Amino acid sequence: MSTDPYHVVQQEIQSSLQTASTLRASYLRIRSMAREGSEELLWARNELKATLAALEADLEDLEESVKVVESTGPRLFNLDDTEVTERRKYVGRVRREVESMRSEVEDTTVRAIHTNSQPGSSRSPLKPTNHLPRSNDQDEQSHWAREEQQLMIQEQERTMDSISGTLTTLAQQAGLMGQEIGQHNEMLGDLEQNVDRTDTKLNTAMRKMRKFIRETEETQSGWCISILVVVLLILLVAVILV
């Protein structure tokens, strides 16, 4: 049975969609409090745009997985037509949510550009009547933006701590494996030394065996010659006496 990639991609999209919803709420809150063109508002808008772009890329992958199931046949993935229809509806619903959030960001950007481009629409921040309220709004918005950034930094630190813990565990496992390999190498070294000593003893025993065989052969040859000489002498004496 083929592997269905739908659920893996769907989990990633759900996580990205929740992040985008949080960023959208933060963006709307900042927009209602900060002036157009402020650093906090630009940062929130860019973060939301980047998240929406990544979400759209994941959504394309999810839609591609649905198309694969439809083209190859739901039965191949142990699915029915109802499940495929539900997946198609889910893709459409998420796409509408993404388009809605993107239209909010783009409409706000267009209105801000149009307002700034109109004659007489610029407002001086140095007017005495608006100076104190604007300063208070900016202080409150800056404080909120710093808290938001601190939360993101803490989340990144927790992620880095998790990765660091995983790397530490892998390093410990690698160290244990290195120790075991070292012990095996020592055992192999001892075995090699024992084999060398055994080989030396065996060679010594073989040399002694060959020497013994050679000496035995020489001794037997000497006895045979002596016996033949004695027999010849006896025959010679017998011929002379006869």
Side-chain angles (χ1 to χ4, degrees):
M1 183 181 297
S2 301
T3 302
D4 186 3
Y6 174 82
H7 297 289
V8 177
V9 182
Q10 185 188 26
Q11 291 177 358
E12 296 178 358
I13 286 181
Q14 280 298 124
S15 177
S16 300
L17 190 60
Q18 292 177 359
T19 303
S21 299
T22 303
L23 291 174
R24 174 181 173 272
S26 300
Y27 168 72
L28 294 177
R29 186 163 54 250
I30 294 174
R31 189 181 66 179
S32 64
M33 299 171 61
R35 63 182 178 83
E36 186 63 36
S38 64
E39 182 180 354
E40 293 81 9
L41 185 59
L42 291 175
W43 175 83
R45 182 184 296 142
N46 292 331
E47 286 292 323
L48 181 56
K49 285 184 177 180
T51 303
L52 290 177
L55 184 58
E56 287 177 342
D58 292 338
L59 190 60
E60 291 293 335
D61 294 337
L62 186 65
E63 188 173 12
E64 183 65 25
S65 69
V66 175
K67 290 180 180 179
V68 169
V69 173
E70 290 177 342
S71 61
T72 56
R75 299 296 180 183
L76 185 62
F77 297 92
N78 197 22
L79 300 175
D80 53 15
D81 295 335
T82 304
E83 176 67 20
V84 177
T85 303
E86 290 295 328
R87 293 184 179 188
R88 175 61 65 183
K89 290 181 180 179
Y90 176 79
V91 172
R93 180 174 61 82
V94 174
R95 186 175 297 279
R96 287 191 297 271
E97 292 183 10
V98 172
E99 291 176 353
S100 176
M101 287 187 283
R102 182 172 291 280
S103 63
E104 287 181 352
V105 177
E106 293 177 351
D107 290 344
T108 304
T109 304
V110 171
R111 286 199 302 269
I113 295 174
H114 180 68
T115 302
N116 292 331
S117 63
Q118 289 179 351
S121 62
S122 60
R123 295 182 298 273
S124 174
L126 299 179
K127 290 183 178 180
T129 57
N130 296 330
H131 178 70
L132 292 177
R134 182 67 62 187
S135 177
N136 293 332
D137 290 343
Q138 291 179 354
D139 291 341
E140 183 178 357
Q141 179 56 37
S142 299
H143 178 69
W144 181 88
R146 285 193 297 270
E147 290 182 352
E148 189 76 15
Q149 292 176 356
Q150 287 294 329
L151 290 175
M152 294 180 64
I153 292 173
Q154 291 175 3
E155 183 67 23
Q156 292 176 354
E157 288 179 350
R158 285 194 293 269
T159 303
M160 293 299 296
D161 291 339
S162 177
I163 295 175
S164 176
T166 302
L167 293 177
T168 301
T169 303
L170 292 176
Q172 293 176 353
Q173 293 179 354
L176 294 175
M177 293 175 62
Q179 293 178 358
E180 292 181 357
I181 292 174
Q183 293 176 356
H184 288 189
N185 288 334
E186 292 179 357
M187 294 174 62
L188 291 175
D190 295 338
L191 179 61
E192 184 178 0
Q193 292 178 359
N194 292 331
V195 171
D196 291 338
R197 286 195 295 268
T198 303
D199 185 65
T200 301
K201 292 180 180 180
L202 183 60
N203 291 332
T204 302
M206 291 299 296
R207 286 197 299 271
K208 291 180 179 180
M209 181 64 69
R210 287 194 293 268
K211 182 178 179 182
F212 174 76
I213 293 173
R214 186 170 57 255
E215 290 177 353
T216 302
E217 291 177 350
E218 291 177 356
T219 302
Q220 290 178 353
S221 300
W223 280 104
C224 290
I225 293 171
S226 300
I227 293 172
L228 290 175
V229 170
V230 172
V231 171
L232 289 175
L233 290 175
I234 293 173
L235 291 175
L236 181 58
V237 171
V239 171
I240 295 172
L241 294 176
V242 174

